[in-house]
Amino acid sequence: MAHNRKISVVGLGYVGLPVAVAFGKLAQVVGFDINAARVAALKAGHDSTLEVQDADLAQADILFTTDPKDLKAADFHIVAVPTPVDEAKRPDLTPVIKASETVGSQLKAGDIVVYESTVYPGATEEDCVPVLEKLSGLKAGRDFTVGFSPERINPGDHVHRFTTITKVVSGQDARTLDIVAEVYSSVVKAGVHRAPTIKVAEAAKVIENTQRDLNIALMNELALIFDKMGIDTLDVLAAAGTKWNFLPFRPGLVGGHCIGVDPYYLTHKASVLGYIPQVILSGRRINDGMGAYVAGQVVKRLIQTGNQVRGSRVTILGLTFKEDVPDLRNTRVIDIVKELQDYGVLVQVHDPMASPAEAHEEYGVHLVPREQLAPAHAVVLAVAHQPYLKEGWGLITSLLDGGKGVVADVKGVLPRDRVPEGVALWRL
């Protein structure tokens, strides 16, 4: 590579692995992760997240390792670990701090550390740099420097990829910015955008997803209003969408590792600085309540169709946070599950993409194989996986007791002109 930098990537998940593979097609990359099982699977040539195809993985020269000492071979370290929120919706910087400790313990004079993990503005320099300095005994700005280049990975999206999305880059000083831009430009075909400061780059990332979160929150609030009016929300959006500048957002569950999480990083920092956000937190409350709302609509229609709620059986199709990915992080489908269970409903969940072991470990949910699903009084199509769409109404009626019952189409994907007789359809 023209920049002559040896790359390491710390964290080989949905974000880090595509980055490592892109650089690994040009020169050897050190790929580090603390998850030994994950590293073993990658060494065997398969990515369980399905973000990287086996053929692409085979083409990349990556030293997969769990040994921090291997990071010494690199001088340009990219940190791409998760940054979740805790149960109180407060930023949990534990993974990025632990990653900083790992990198710091191997840091050398002249190294550059670039963070891709989503954080609030100021976190790189205020929270991470002190850790790097403490563990390395080196001084930032003198012995080593840092940068920030926010990830823009969209799980399951095979069009907008790491190499085809404009990369925002930033650096602690002008020289570092030049190097960071040069390094990423070697693999990102879409080019780079140089942010003037690290804080600007950090802020750009959190508002990208905050903007999307708020737009979806508006659609969800409209869905709540239109339901009371007896109007189909998607019909309204189809009509309004004929205007050239109407934005094509739709109501739905907002989960995942970005949209449902990033706004809390911004609002947390704002609160620390003495400003209590109004609009952002209002949108978050609406979106966080949609799972319970869907469950309530299912219960209402069970009652309307003459079913006893307690002891009724409901089959939920899909548990992942979005269609056609195995990613269960921050899925809001779990809110539907828990709310229905609180009503005394017997809930069974099916998902062809999700890992049964992960579903049980993360949420205590037992994924039921399709052939073992008992006839249900209601079916909730929560995630529009392709296998579900392919079978359509045939699948839905086969899961209902006697082919009749309540159907909640959360994504609005089932054809309304072919609703089977005996089916009470509701859609968000």
Side-chain angles (χ1 to χ4, degrees):
M1 288 183 278
H3 49 76
N4 294 319
R5 285 281 172 168
K6 180 64 180 291
I7 312 293
S8 81
V9 178
V10 177
L12 299 174
Y14 285 84
V15 173
L17 184 63
V19 173
V21 168
F23 283 111
K25 290 183 177 181
L26 299 181
Q28 188 181 63
V29 170
V30 178
F32 174 87
D33 201 288
I34 60 173
N35 187 331
R38 171 69 170 164
V39 169
L42 294 174
K43 283 182 177 180
H46 181 66
D47 170 28
S48 61
T49 71
L50 306 181
E51 288 301 300
V52 175
Q53 299 298 312
D54 292 355
D56 288 323
L57 192 57
Q59 293 172 11
D61 185 1
I62 304 175
L63 172 64
F64 292 113
T65 181
T66 58
D67 187 350
K69 294 185 177 64
D70 288 326
L71 296 174
K72 275 202 176 294
D75 57 18
F76 190 98
H77 309 279
I78 299 173
V79 177
V81 296
T83 43
V85 292
D86 62 18
E87 292 184 1
K89 307 298 185 183
R90 295 171 302 196
D92 181 4
L93 291 179
T94 302
V96 79
I97 295 301
K98 291 293 185 183
S100 298
E101 292 174 350
T102 299
V103 173
S105 69
Q106 307 302 321
L107 208 56
K108 311 178 301 300
D111 284 6
I112 294 175
V113 184
V114 177
Y115 290 85
E116 290 209 4
S117 305
T118 302
V119 291
Y120 46 74
T124 298
E125 293 159 294
E126 298 165 12
D127 297 286
C128 299
V129 165
V131 175
L132 294 173
E133 291 181 327
K134 180 180 179 181
L135 271 292
S136 67
L138 303 175
K139 181 66 177 177
R142 182 191 69 193
D143 303 316
F144 72 93
T145 55
V146 297
F148 184 81
S149 182
E151 61 91 0
R152 283 174 164 172
I153 296 295
N154 182 26
D157 188 338
H158 299 293
V159 176
H160 303 98
R161 308 296 295 165
F162 169 67
T163 58
T164 63
I165 304 171
T166 300
K167 200 79 169 78
V168 175
V169 296
S170 63
Q172 189 173 5
D173 52 43
R175 176 180 174 275
T176 301
L177 176 56
D178 285 341
I179 295 173
V180 173
E182 187 178 14
V183 168
Y184 279 107
S185 292
S186 69
V187 292
V188 178
K189 301 173 184 176
V192 301
H193 172 86
R194 295 177 178 232
T197 66
I198 288 176
K199 282 187 178 181
V200 167
E202 291 168 326
K205 171 58 181 179
V206 289
I207 72 162
E208 287 174 12
N209 285 324
T210 298
Q211 182 187 69
R212 184 165 176 79
D213 190 44
L214 285 171
N215 276 293
I216 298 172
L218 173 59
M219 297 301 107
N220 279 332
E221 186 164 58
L222 291 175
L224 302 181
I225 295 170
F226 292 146
D227 185 69
K228 291 183 177 297
M229 295 179 175
I231 302 173
D232 186 277
T233 304
L234 299 186
D235 284 345
V236 176
L237 296 180
T242 60
K243 189 168 186 242
W244 72 91
N245 60 351
F246 188 84
L247 301 178
F249 287 93
R250 291 171 62 130
L253 304 176
V254 183
H257 66 296
C258 287
I259 301 177
V261 172
D262 294 355
Y264 287 120
Y265 274 74
L266 183 58
T267 58
H268 166 78
K269 187 64 174 181
S271 298
V272 169
L273 296 173
Y275 178 78
I276 307 301
Q278 303 297 316
V279 175
I280 298 172
L281 289 176
S282 177
R284 281 278 75 237
R285 285 192 292 271
I286 291 171
N287 287 342
D288 279 347
M290 292 309 292
Y293 173 72
V294 170
Q297 294 301 311
V298 172
V299 168
K300 180 187 293 186
R301 281 153 182 80
L302 282 171
I303 295 171
Q304 290 173 346
T305 53
N307 289 285
Q308 179 75 30
V309 174
R310 185 174 183 82
S312 288
R313 181 175 285 105
V314 175
T315 295
I316 295 179
L317 298 178
L319 182 63
T320 61
F321 91 90
K322 67 180 292 189
E323 63 275 4
D324 303 321
V325 300
D327 195 348
L328 288 171
R329 289 176 297 173
N330 194 38
T331 176
R332 301 288 25 112
V333 179
I334 192 63
D335 298 338
I336 303 176
V337 175
K338 291 181 176 179
E339 190 75 7
L340 288 173
Q341 290 174 335
D342 285 346
Y343 278 106
V345 171
L346 303 176
V347 180
Q348 51 187 0
V349 183
H350 175 269
D351 194 310
M353 300 295 299
S355 161
E358 186 180 350
H360 187 268
E361 180 180 353
E362 291 294 322
Y363 302 108
V365 171
H366 171 63
L367 293 181
V368 182
R370 179 173 170 180
E371 62 274 10
Q372 295 179 19
L373 290 170
H377 302 96
V379 171
V380 179
L381 180 52
V383 186
H385 291 314
Q386 279 301 315
Y388 297 154
L389 299 183
K390 185 177 180 180
E391 292 192 58
W393 279 115
L395 167 65
I396 303 300
T397 54
S398 72
L399 300 177
L400 289 169
D401 189 8
K404 299 180 180 180
V406 175
V407 174
D409 183 6
V410 176
K411 301 292 288 186
V413 293
L414 294 170
R416 283 183 300 165
D417 58 351
R418 296 200 294 273
V419 179
E421 185 178 353
V423 169
L425 174 65
W426 173 85
R427 62 183 197 167
L428 185 60

